[in-house]
Amino acid sequence: MNFFSDLLNALPGAVAQGLIWGLMAIGVYITFKVLDLADLTVDGTMCTGGAVCIMLMTHGVNVWVALLCAFVAGLLAGAITGILHTVMGIPAILAGILTQLALFSINLRIMGGKANQAINPDKYNLLVSLRNVKRLTLENPILVAIVFTVVVIALLYWFFGTELGSGIRATGANPNMSRAQGINVDRNKVFGLMLSNGIVALSSALYSQYQGFTDVNAGRGAIVIGLAAVIIGEVLFARLFHNFALKLLGVALGAVIYYIVIQIVLTLGLNSNDLKLLSAAVVAIFLAVPYWKGKYFRGAAKKAVAAPAPAPVAAGKEDEPNA
């Protein structure tokens, strides 16, 4: 009984975190699935957005302006990765690593040289706060995160239906064909990376408010959580969600499921020091599921083809009863 009571007590927090990180996972989806690029910049921008938001708010800036500035900071980080990749010819994964490395020092400077900066919810008007997670009010972070998720998905659905958005999707699907059709592939890659990291930074700004502080190591391993949410959403909802907006919703739900699974395991008594190991195992399993499914169905199809067909019975040659 203690297990179930502890789990029910912790579930609201897990759902709230899952929804906030679901926004980050949507950003990862844009590069990983839409652009077909492995971008590791998110490990840096998952701190940058929070650092910009918290520092601006503690200096008297309105929370909405702070969120907008955090989003712009993410755009700039994505632009740096895009320029390193397209202008300087550095592979996308290495360009992301270089930007992530540079952002560590930049984030420290944003936070005034300190590795951690806190914000007091009693002195500042936060949009989301951990203290409200179990209250049935409009300030409940679950409700706020749902609103942000719906708005972001709606805007992305509209954007990727425009000419620029369609060009970005075409670039990810087939860059050579897109280039042959006169699409500026390099520009679209930069825009896609900017948009992805802008959304990640927005998620970071909300998460920093939720937990009441920002930390220079806040984004470490963020790409693993993002990929976990993307893969879980794809494996569980691929047969149900075919529309682009619904696929984005599936990613957000994947993050919620991920955090619920993590919470269940922690409630069972897992050492929190093993959390990264568990995250890697969850991602590895869900990455393997599509491969195993494809391998099983291919094997079944080959067996069906190789099986000999029953010999046809010649007309008029049916067996006659013995006299």
Side-chain angles (χ1 to χ4, degrees):
M1 289 298 294
N2 288 335
F3 166 76
F4 290 105
S5 61
D6 292 344
L7 180 61
L8 288 175
N9 189 52
L11 272 182
V15 172
Q17 287 191 74
L19 288 169
I20 295 173
W21 281 84
L23 289 173
M24 186 276 295
I26 290 174
V28 172
Y29 181 88
I30 293 174
T31 52
F32 186 65
K33 287 294 184 179
V34 177
L35 270 180
D36 195 24
L37 291 176
D39 179 31
L40 299 183
T41 314
V42 295
D43 278 17
T45 48
M46 195 58 198
C47 172
T48 303
V52 170
C53 180
I54 297 301
M55 293 305 294
L56 286 177
M57 290 186 66
T58 54
H59 284 78
V61 177
N62 180 272
V63 61
W64 293 103
V65 177
L67 283 174
L68 178 61
C69 291
F71 178 74
V72 172
L75 293 178
L76 294 175
I80 293 172
T81 300
I83 291 172
L84 290 175
H85 174 52
T86 59
V87 177
M88 302 180 67
I90 299 173
I93 189 169
L94 182 55
I97 292 173
L98 292 174
T99 306
Q100 173 199 140
L101 184 64
L103 283 175
F104 186 87
S105 297
I106 294 172
N107 294 336
L108 281 174
R109 285 189 171 273
I110 293 173
M111 293 190 291
K114 297 181 180 179
N116 187 289
Q117 286 284 359
I119 186 168
N120 191 338
D122 294 325
K123 296 181 179 180
Y124 301 94
N125 294 322
L126 305 181
L127 287 178
V128 288
S129 176
L130 177 61
R131 62 173 56 185
N132 298 323
V133 74
K134 295 180 182 178
R135 297 178 181 175
L136 297 176
T137 64
L138 294 177
E139 297 177 343
N140 189 303
I142 296 177
L143 178 61
V144 176
I146 288 174
V147 172
F148 267 88
T149 301
V150 171
V151 171
V152 168
I153 289 176
L155 290 175
L156 288 176
Y157 182 72
W158 166 80
F159 172 75
F160 281 105
T162 63
E163 183 178 352
L164 176 58
S166 298
I168 293 175
R169 295 174 71 177
T171 297
N174 194 327
N176 293 328
M177 181 62 71
S178 299
R179 191 177 289 107
Q181 296 296 321
I183 296 175
N184 191 328
V185 172
D186 289 344
R187 183 199 64 180
N188 287 343
K189 286 182 179 180
V190 174
F191 281 166
L193 288 166
M194 290 175 64
L195 181 60
S196 169
N197 285 279
I199 295 173
V200 171
L202 177 64
S203 170
S204 171
L206 290 174
Y207 188 63
S208 296
Q209 293 181 53
Y210 172 79
Q211 60 186 358
F213 67 92
T214 183
D215 190 274
V216 73
N217 293 312
R220 183 171 294 177
I223 186 64
V224 176
I225 299 176
L227 288 176
V230 171
I231 299 304
I232 291 172
E234 187 176 58
V235 170
L236 297 182
F237 304 111
R239 292 182 177 273
L240 299 175
F241 296 166
H242 301 287
N243 180 274
F244 182 72
L246 292 179
K247 289 182 179 180
L248 296 179
L249 176 62
V251 171
L253 293 176
V256 174
I257 293 171
Y258 170 84
Y259 267 94
I260 290 176
V261 171
I262 293 297
Q263 190 58 58
I264 291 173
V265 176
L266 289 177
T267 306
L268 287 171
L270 177 75
N271 190 327
S272 59
N273 292 330
D274 297 329
L275 196 55
K276 298 294 184 184
L277 176 62
L278 175 64
S279 300
V282 170
V283 175
I285 291 172
F286 276 95
L287 281 171
V289 166
Y291 171 75
W292 289 336
K293 287 171 62 178
K295 188 175 182 180
Y296 170 77
F297 286 120
R298 283 197 301 269
K302 287 181 180 178
K303 288 181 180 179
V305 171
V313 178
K317 297 293 185 179
E318 291 86 3
D319 292 337
E320 297 179 359
N322 295 328

